[in-house]
Amino acid sequence: MRRFLLAAFAFAGPGLALAQEFTSPLDVVSTLYGTYFLNVPVRDITPYFSDDLTDRLGGTVIGHEQFRHAGFDPLTGRLDWAPRGFRLSLLSQAGSTAQVRADFQDGANAISVTYDLVREEPHGWQIDHIAGKAGDLSWCSNSILSMIAP
């Protein structure tokens, strides 16, 4: 938890996330969730996305406001969350690809969100795909794009 809070403080400064190069797959995901633990609204998560995922968004800014408008947050499985037992796991890392999973309990639901990441120059590690499951509900980058992108 301490790592999340430190990462969130680093993120909270204006423009720091945009200038930050993530040196490990866990850094990307822990920094992103760190903002949630501090209850800091994320205005734009697209700096965390790969060039390919950003291109598929067509320049659309995605953040807390867009999640509220769509009625769903793909990072938590719901809009308002109260996680218990939060943990991150590096599932795999080989060359310029990696996979990280966030697991937590929210109410009666076990939630699991898997991130496929790629290492890109000059950005460092970036999220290339998101897939999540909470009870009977499942989602992925494509469903997120159709929900939010114009």
Side-chain angles (χ1 to χ4, degrees):
M1 179 63 108
R2 182 173 179 219
R3 180 177 181 181
F4 291 113
L5 294 177
L6 291 173
F9 283 123
F11 174 82
L16 288 179
L18 296 174
Q20 184 171 359
E21 178 181 326
F22 295 106
T23 58
S24 82
L26 284 172
D27 286 344
V28 178
V29 181
S30 65
T31 300
L32 192 52
Y33 278 104
T35 62
Y36 282 78
F37 281 106
L38 288 177
N39 205 18
V40 175
V42 180
R43 293 183 185 161
D44 185 9
I45 66 170
T46 57
Y48 297 89
F49 291 168
S50 68
D51 290 342
D52 180 56
L53 188 53
T54 301
D55 288 346
R56 291 174 47 206
L57 283 167
T60 302
V61 171
I62 296 179
H64 187 73
E65 287 299 314
Q66 290 75 21
F67 294 153
R68 284 235 175 261
H69 181 67
F72 179 76
D73 186 332
L75 306 181
T76 63
R78 52 186 298 160
L79 287 177
D80 298 314
W81 75 320
R84 294 184 329 271
F86 187 91
R87 70 182 186 279
L88 285 180
S89 306
L90 178 63
L91 300 178
S92 66
Q93 182 175 349
S96 62
T97 63
Q99 194 172 62
V100 172
R101 186 176 65 222
D103 292 297
F104 51 94
Q105 195 73 24
D106 189 29
N109 291 323
I111 298 175
S112 181
V113 184
T114 303
Y115 297 87
D116 293 339
L117 297 105
V118 295
R119 188 173 47 221
E120 297 179 332
E121 295 302 327
H123 315 297
W125 288 97
Q126 303 284 281
I127 297 169
D128 198 46
H129 182 74
I130 300 170
K133 184 159 181 58
D136 293 337
L137 177 65
S138 62
W139 62 93
C140 69
S141 297
N142 292 335
S143 58
I144 297 164
L145 291 171
S146 67
M147 181 174 56
I148 294 177

